[in-house]
């Protein structure tokens, strides 16, 4: 049968506040185990939580950026369950009255725009972390680190509006970009500050009723979101085609083996016995506060992409890649401020810069080549001091040594040969040494000239001005 895939995502994002959601403990990542703790986040008897105002502000900011309605009255609830990383035996979360509802974000897949609904954004506390020696199944004991307990989170729940794993990946990428632009989360998937669970179900094409869904956890990268969903869609299809039934359950994505495995049958909301948190007052948000936050939002990815295509004539694809990260978009803007041509800048960012960042697996914040460095390099090409090809070698050298472009060019004697007399001398030698290629060219084989150009560039170690070589060689021939 031909099925339609239905996907909804739950994104958890750690907010980058200095202190935790209900106490003054630090949220610093990577501190020694169980050092960022106090009686409140350890859930000792008699303590009282106090809401961190910054958490509410960040949650509203996220809600506004995601086109949500901010509820004027919202409250916290207790979500009751037992697990060793949850010392209170309940998670303080928001149930029926979250801070923000009814939003959306727009994605683009294969050149097509699509709007994905956002059901809600709510605030909650993170749980601690269990550490096993080896795998959870084979370890004979587990240790618990409560540093993460009480770190503020927002959970963003989408409508089941996505119809393919590609759309889910695009949604998550856009979500990450927006949260980074508004500076409420650093969204490091590898440190767990952006996490994603996916709900997926299949239904016959043209039908309305949703099929039974499964939830996939441990999707720790954009790639695993797509791969995990692809695997799960294929698994559903196989079960349904054989006349079987999908069991509503939570499954874990095993990245190493490329499969999902059953974790537990899915609990329902009523299993958690939600009830209002009696130790925290409700949150009343006045419209002026929301307007103030809305007014102060920075330019968001969609607007910035439109500016890059509109003002600088970049393709929608290039503008999309550059604005996918605020830091990369800032880099671009800085280059343009330094009077470097926008399209040249885009080519360098999309080419050498991203290639090197990806290979080194670092973010642009840690890029060893600053906008003024790159502007200087591009300036050398424009002045004719070095060719485009040599510039790539210089870039490589800048990346590893941190030296300025001009210094590298000087030290390595990479200055382009643009002296007609010198180039002509080399051309004459190459013509004399390669009579067959010359004859081929004269017999109409245009390709032969490429070989001759190659020989000239070889003789000059790539330093000859390519335009001049082409022009002078044709003249000589
Ligand atoms: Zn604490």
């Amino acid at each position: 049968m031909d099925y339609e895939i239905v996907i909804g995502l739950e994104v958890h994002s750690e907010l980058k506040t200095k202190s935790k959601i209900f106490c003054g403990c630090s949220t610093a990542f990577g501190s020694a185990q169980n050092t960022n703790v106090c009686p409140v986040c350890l859930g000792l008897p008699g303590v009282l939580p106090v809401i961190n105002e910054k958490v509410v502000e960040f949650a509203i900011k996220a809600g506004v950026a995601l086109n949500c309605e901010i509820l004027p009255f919202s409250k916290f609830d207790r979500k009751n369950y037992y697990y060793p990383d949850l010392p209170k035996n309940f998670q303080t979360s928001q149930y029926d009255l979250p801070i923000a509802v009814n939003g959306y974000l727009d994605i683009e897949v294969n050149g097509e725009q699509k709007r994905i609904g956002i059901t809600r954004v709510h605030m909650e506390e993170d749980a601690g972390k269990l550490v096993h020696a080896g795998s959870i199944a084979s370890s004979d004991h587990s240790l618990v680190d409560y540093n993460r307990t009480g770190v503020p989170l927002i959970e963003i729940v989408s409508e089941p509006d996505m119809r393919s794993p590609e759309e889910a990946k695009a949604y998550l990428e856009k979500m990450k970009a927006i949260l980074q632009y508004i500076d409420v989360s650093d969204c490091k998937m590898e440190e767990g500050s952006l996490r994603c669970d996916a709900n997926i179900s299949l239904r016959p094409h043209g039908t309305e009723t949703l099929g039974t869904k499964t939830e996939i956890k441990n999707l720790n990268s954009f790639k695993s979101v797509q791969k995990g969903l692809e695997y799960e869609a294929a698994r559903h299809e196989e079960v349904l085609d054989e006349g079987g039934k999908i069991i509503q359950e939570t499954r874990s994505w095993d990245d190493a083996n490329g499969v999902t495995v059953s974790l537990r049958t899915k609990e329902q909301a009523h299993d958690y016995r939600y009830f209002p948190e009696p130790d925290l007052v409700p949150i009343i948000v006045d419209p002026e506060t929301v307007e103030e936050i809305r007014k102060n939002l920075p330019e968001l990815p969609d607007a910035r992409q439109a500016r890059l295509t509109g003002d600088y004539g970049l393709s929608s694809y290039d503008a999309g890649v550059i604005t996918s990260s605020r830091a990369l978009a800032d880099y671009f803007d800085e280059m343009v401020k330094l009077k470097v041509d926008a399209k040249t800048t885009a080519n360098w960012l999309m080419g050498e810069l991203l290639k090197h960042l990806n290979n080194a697996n670092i973010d642009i914040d840690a890029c060893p080549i600053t906008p003024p460095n790159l502007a200087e390099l591009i300036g050398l090409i424009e002045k004719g001091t070095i060719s485009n090809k040599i510039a790539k070698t210089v870039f490589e050298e800048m990346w590893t040594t941190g030296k300025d472009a001009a210094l590298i060019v000087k030290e390595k004697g990479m200055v382009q040969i643009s002296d007609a007399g010198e180039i002509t001398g080399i051309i004459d030698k190459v013509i004399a040494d390669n009579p067959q290629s010359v004859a081929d060219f004269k017999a109409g084989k245009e390709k032969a000239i490429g070989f001759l150009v190659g020989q000239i560039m070889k003789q000059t170690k790539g330093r000859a001005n390519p335009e001049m070589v082409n022009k002078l060689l044709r003249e000589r021939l």
Side-chain angles (χ1 to χ4, degrees), residues 232-340:
E232 197 57 11
R235 191 185 68 84
H236 279 222
E237 189 171 339
E238 203 179 315
V239 171
L240 294 172
D241 275 347
E242 283 169 1
K245 272 201 169 113
I246 297 293
I247 303 160
Q248 184 171 338
E249 62 183 349
T250 302
R251 298 177 70 89
S252 173
W253 170 244
D254 176 347
D255 206 36
N257 295 308
V259 294
T260 63
V261 288
S262 181
L263 272 182
R264 55 178 184 264
T265 53
K266 176 72 182 166
E267 55 292 311
Q268 306 280 338
H270 62 245
D271 293 328
Y272 289 117
R273 296 295 187 269
Y274 278 100
F275 66 84
E277 166 62 67
D279 289 341
L280 286 162
V281 292
I283 299 149
I284 314 287
V285 184
D286 57 74
E288 292 78 41
T289 307
V290 178
E291 273 324 298
E292 192 60 30
I293 289 173
R294 192 188 308 278
K295 259 195 345 226
N296 289 313
L297 277 188
E299 185 183 35
L300 295 175
D302 287 347
R304 201 148 180 182
Q305 186 178 356
R307 178 163 66 78
L308 262 52
T309 52
D311 290 4
Y312 303 122
L314 298 192
S315 72
S316 165
Y317 176 79
D318 288 3
V321 172
I322 290 169
T323 55
S324 66
S325 134
R326 182 177 174 173
L328 192 60
D330 286 346
Y331 197 108
F332 175 88
D333 277 346
E334 246 188 274
M335 291 291 288
V336 173
K337 250 189 233 153
L338 291 166
K339 307 264 181 279
V340 183

Side-chain angles (χ1 to χ4, degrees), residues 318-389:
D318 288 3
V321 172
I322 290 169
T323 55
S324 66
S325 134
R326 182 177 174 173
L328 192 60
D330 286 346
Y331 197 108
F332 175 88
D333 277 346
E334 246 188 274
M335 291 291 288
V336 173
K337 250 189 233 153
L338 291 166
K339 307 264 181 279
V340 183
D341 174 67
K343 279 191 181 162
T344 309
T345 298
N347 288 341
W348 276 91
L349 295 196
M350 309 269 298
E352 293 305 302
L353 198 83
L354 279 182
K355 190 175 89 190
H356 280 75
L357 290 172
N358 288 341
N359 286 347
N361 200 19
I362 54 172
D363 281 334
I364 190 148
D365 309 334
C367 180
I369 297 175
T370 64
N373 293 152
L374 185 56
E376 185 191 14
L377 177 65
I378 295 171
L380 290 175
I381 306 168
E382 278 166 1
K383 273 189 274 175
T385 313
I386 53 171
S387 66
N388 247 311
K389 196 162 173 241

Side-chain angles (χ1 to χ4, degrees), residues 196 215-221 223-232 250-263:
C196 174
E215 182 180 4
I216 319 172
K217 287 195 174 290
N218 293 324
L219 300 166
N220 296 328
S221 66
K223 212 187 253 170
S224 67
V225 168
Q226 185 166 351
K227 276 165 61 188
L229 282 165
E230 279 166 0
Y231 175 87
E232 197 57 11
T250 302
R251 298 177 70 89
S252 173
W253 170 244
D254 176 347
D255 206 36
N257 295 308
V259 294
T260 63
V261 288
S262 181
L263 272 182

Side-chain angles (χ1 to χ4, degrees), residues 23 25 37-38 41:
C23 63
C25 290
V37 293
C38 75
C41 54

